Amino acid sequence: MKRHEIKSDIAWATPTQIKVHGLDLCSEIVGVVDFGQMAFLEIFARLPDANEARMFNAMMVILVEHGITPSSLATRMTYCGAPEAVQASVAAGLLGLGSVFVGSLDNAAKMLQEALPDPQASVNLKQLAVDIVSAHRSRREIIPGVGHPFHKPIDPRTPALFKVAHETGFAGRYVELMENIGAEASRQYGRPLPLNVTGAMAAIASEFKLPWKMCRGLAVAARAVGLVGHIIEEMRQPMAEEIYYRIEHEATEHSRPRE
């Protein structure tokens, strides 16, 4: 069997030099490229232009933090039980990203990219949105990127993100289709259904031509930063231990025989 060279085109190193996508880490990246640009470089194998950098940074920072959610609670509870393993605490929180919080990004991007494989095609986006919503209703499936358990009637992050998209030239056909899907869902269901932040991010990620299978990676990378912040706060202001003792106390109270 022929053996192939084991190598990565992302980065390589010598005893005196490290290259990342052709750029010297120490002389061309450190102190020159910011965190968002570095993330863009890793994903797209090139540095962004000014508009790409602004749009990509907006996408990433908008999902870093959302307060006390199942993922941040999982991180705090894991840290409470294993304070020596910060990485396990972050991992526990990331495992909690799914169809309700953060993780629907890839499903929304899949919906958009499969419905509109060629964004330049002459397609009636309003009618396409009607077809998408009707199909999901007939299958009794949740429409990814539409609705939010807390932010109603508007997810305030969506217009903020789309504002940047319009200012940077990323409010293209996928953004228009996602907006039509949100409006059509509200019409068909007869109640306000907010276009949520993951739906907005899915549309913009599709404008970046990012394959839908990779889109959840953006959410994971962004939220990981926020979870580190929750661990730091947990160190200073323990919350998980208080939650544990309250649950334990309530369980004990319920188990006592009544007089």
Side-chain angles (χ1 to χ4, degrees), residues 17-241:
Q17 192 179 46
I18 301 168
K19 289 271 192 173
V20 180
H21 287 297
L23 298 175
D24 186 276
L25 176 66
C26 298
S27 65
E28 296 179 289
I29 295 178
V30 174
V32 178
V33 173
D34 64 30
F35 188 78
Q37 290 172 315
M38 188 65 187
F40 190 99
L41 176 64
E42 282 288 288
I43 293 169
F44 295 99
R46 64 177 177 83
L47 288 173
D49 63 29
N51 280 334
E52 289 173 329
R54 185 178 174 216
M55 186 73 261
F56 187 78
N57 271 294
M59 290 172 64
M60 296 302 286
V61 301
I62 208 160
L63 277 184
V64 168
E65 186 52 59
H66 197 274
I68 301 303
T69 62
S71 59
S72 61
L73 278 174
T75 287
R76 287 172 178 264
M77 296 299 283
T78 304
Y79 177 78
C80 177
E84 72 282 359
V86 169
Q87 75 281 6
S89 301
V90 173
L94 295 179
L95 290 172
L97 305 183
S99 60
V100 177
F101 289 97
V102 178
S104 61
L105 202 161
D106 57 347
N107 294 331
K110 182 177 186 239
M111 174 183 70
L112 293 172
Q113 292 175 20
E114 289 186 347
L116 191 64
D118 178 9
Q120 304 305 319
S122 180
V123 177
N124 185 322
L125 296 183
K126 287 188 177 181
Q127 183 58 51
L128 185 56
V130 171
D131 295 341
I132 290 170
V133 174
S134 298
H136 280 79
R137 285 192 74 192
S138 68
R139 297 191 300 264
R140 298 182 181 276
E141 291 179 356
I142 293 173
I143 304 170
V146 175
H148 195 278
F150 180 71
H151 292 302
K152 300 172 184 179
I154 296 172
D155 183 338
R157 297 167 296 179
T158 296
L161 204 55
F162 280 169
K163 179 176 182 291
V164 179
H166 281 281
E167 292 171 351
T168 56
F170 279 91
R173 300 270 283 170
Y174 287 114
V175 169
E176 186 179 351
L177 176 57
M178 195 72 233
E179 288 179 317
N180 277 305
I181 290 171
E184 180 60 24
S186 295
R187 189 190 71 79
Q188 287 198 27
Y189 285 91
R191 66 180 189 275
L193 287 171
L195 183 57
N196 64 46
V197 70
T198 54
M201 279 191 67
I204 296 168
S206 298
E207 300 287 355
F208 271 108
K209 298 181 173 62
L210 190 67
W212 67 264
K213 289 183 179 180
M214 298 294 102
C215 288
R216 188 176 295 194
L218 299 180
V220 169
R223 189 51 62 88
V225 176
L227 294 177
V228 172
H230 277 272
I231 294 172
I232 293 171
E233 186 180 66
E234 188 66 25
M235 292 176 179
R236 297 170 179 165
Q237 300 170 221
M239 177 191 299
E241 188 173 317

